[in-house]
Amino acid sequence: MASTKIDGPGGGGGGAGGGILTNGPRNGHEMAPLNTRARGDGTHGVTIVLTASQRNSLTSVDATGEPERAAWSGKMQFFLSIIGYSVGLGNIWRFPYLCQQNGGGAFLIPFMIMLILEGIPLFLIELGIGQRMRLGALGVWNTIHPWLGGIGISSCIVTLFVALYYNVIITWVFFYLFNSFRYPLPWSSCPVINGTAVEECTRSSETAYFWYRETLDAAPSMDEPGGLKWWIVLCLFLSWTIVFFIVMKGIQSSGKVVYFTSLFPYVVLTIFFIRGITLPGAGAGLMHMYTPKVEKLADPTVWLDAATQVFYSFGLAFGSLIAFGSYNTPKNNCVRDVLLVSVCNAITAIYASVVIFAILGFKATVNVEKCINTNKDILFHHNLLPSINVTDLEYESAMELVPKNETGWKLEECSLSHMLDNAAEGTGLAFIVFTQAIVELPGAPFWAVLFFTMLLSLGLGSQIGILEGMLCTLFDIDIIKRVKKQHVTAVVCVFCFLVGFIFCTGAGEYWLKMFDSFAGTIGLVVVALMEMISVVYIYGHKKFTEDIYQMTGYRPGPYWQWTWRYIGPFIMVCILISSIIFMVIKNPTYGAWSKELGAVVQTDYPNWVMAIALSMILAGVLPMPIVFLMRSFQCLKVDLDIHQGSIRRNETTTSTKVMMDDDDVSIWFSLFTNSIKTPFVNYVNNCFVIIN
């Protein structure tokens, strides 16, 4: 069907001043430019909508979407892409830490509840609306209502911030992977200068020294960043180059890589699991982690941590799930996909926790033995032990003889639970704690290569999804759509690489933690909340339910309705409010490395850094009210290309009627009468031609 474009209020049929029929593929839902009152020529633009016929059967959904839109080559490719995106580094270095800190096995209760009440419903909203509209994030929200177009812009901006620092983690993984081929591992011992170990290393640990000094060459603070570290710059260039070649053709290129990035981590986890449970101390590590502390469930922060973990582990609000859903066939069973991915995500997090704490239990056992041997040596020199080769009973008896107020002997607490309580999260777990455990394993370089290749696979899988969501949003813009995808992807990657220089200084880790704390928190939660409100209350939960039924044959029941309409938004509001309160009450700090102490010192962010953090939060949130105000007051000249390029369909519902003024209604009525009159006139003209 060709679309009809009315240039002004006098537009009619053929001939002078008539409507213009445009050529090219059409799907029956094209829109002419948005209302433009301030044209300067006294005319009023009008939004023309040619809606498809009402859906009455499952097969009618096939008509939606762009005929030329990219599509998955198979169901497995889509599933693995979703798994590779959703199952990321957080499952490895965040979830085990939360379990340990929030009640052990008891933490699984709030985690599963939040998964059911928050994660799965919002997951289906993003995947389902993308599949229904066959558009990226910008096009989806413009289609539901043009006033909501800022949601897609906010999502794209926040995704850009996250993509900037997420690839830096991949950069660090590359550096460690290259060093894993050395024997012995470079972080297995302290460097020696003139026969003496470096003091900074002896004050901390071998792995901490390698991380902060050899890898990062950490600066004392963000105010003194130091210069660029050339080895980090080279690894960053390598990581962005690899990411570019993976995503340059969209899912045509990235869809082939996901077979490795999604499946390989499970192979490595299984290898580590088999090795880990056979190590001494593995059982102690698992018991320490999963022993339930039910009293922790009375702490509201435990439930907040569970809700936050579920939200970030699914990668919600990035626009990536909407993009992935848009590449599906219209009759794909997205409900089944959501349930399968959710179960897989939860099982992976638990499985990874078992592997991590089995290895950490072994590390803690080895450290306890080293600690006891050190204490025995101290006790021997103070004549409390006859020799260092004594039984545990004799050692414990000697420890009881130590004066209570004695601090000069430097005796340590050699407790397994104390060692396990010091387990870290994030980069500390991956690059300091776990690397120390790897050193203790026979054939350490082999295990190091496996571990960092797994982290690389997990990081690339998530980074592919993050960039795919952002690029899909960019290609909803009319101007960018005319440029080759490879060129746009190259520009984005080069831009991110250049901005990434800030992470290649001595303060690089400090900047990454700042981005992680501010750029990808408030903005994402606000976007997710607006997405849920937009679909459920503006698009309409009944209409969305009908869409799911038309696509899958399954009609969402009371569970979906209650979580979409009430429970999900309530949880998102709680996360948002608590995040803002904690950010205001708790003075934000970062861990700066002290060379003199050989330890991390909590330091207040400089005021100028907090100004940048606030700017990033506002940049991720303000597009939503700005677009709303611009379009509600018809200040639309600056976003015509975005609006026109992103929208493909719109059905005139109650939510869109407020967009029309009296002049628009009269033109709509004129268009309606013309749509009836024109075929009749054409029919009569054809009859005269035949007669003649």
Side-chain angles (χ1 to χ4, degrees), residues 564-579:
W564 285 339
R565 298 169 66 184
Y566 308 113
I567 301 176
F570 174 76
I571 294 175
M572 300 305 301
V573 169
C574 290
I575 295 176
L576 179 61
I577 293 176
S578 60
S579 299

Side-chain angles (χ1 to χ4, degrees), residues 90-91 94-96 98-99 102 104-120 290 297 302-314 341-351 353 571:
N91 297 78
R94 176 67 175 163
F95 183 80
L98 290 177
C99 279
N102 293 311
F107 181 72
L108 296 179
I109 297 175
F111 177 75
M112 289 300 177
I113 291 176
M114 291 301 171
L115 179 71
I116 294 171
L117 298 182
E118 172 207 3
I120 295 177
Y290 283 113
L297 298 182
V302 173
W303 293 83
L304 178 64
D305 282 342
T308 306
Q309 173 64 17
V310 167
F311 176 78
Y312 289 113
S313 66
F314 276 106
V341 172
S342 301
V343 171
C344 186
N345 197 334
I347 292 177
T348 302
I350 298 172
Y351 185 38
S353 301
I571 294 175

Side-chain angles (χ1 to χ4, degrees), residues 78 120-135 140 321-322 324-326 328-330 332-335 338 535 539 544 547-548 551-552 564:
F78 162 71
I120 295 177
L122 187 53
F123 194 179
L124 181 57
I125 282 180
E126 291 202 3
L127 205 61
I129 202 70
Q131 181 174 314
R132 171 65 185 90
M133 300 292 187
R134 307 296 301 281
L135 292 167
V140 162
L321 295 175
I322 295 176
F324 285 159
S326 71
N328 275 326
T329 58
N332 174 66
N333 193 338
C334 54
V335 177
V338 166
V535 172
Y539 186 74
F544 185 62
D547 287 340
I548 298 296
M551 292 187 295
T552 67
W564 285 339

Side-chain angles (χ1 to χ4, degrees), residues 175-193:
F175 183 77
Y176 266 78
L177 179 61
F178 296 149
N179 280 278
S180 297
F181 290 96
R182 297 166 59 184
Y183 184 83
L185 291 174
W187 55 82
S188 61
S189 60
C190 289
V192 177
I193 300 178

Side-chain angles (χ1 to χ4, degrees), residues 134 196 200 204 214 276 442 475 501 613 626:
R134 307 296 301 281
T196 304
E200 182 182 0
S204 53
E214 299 290 341
F475 279 102
F501 280 179
I626 289 175

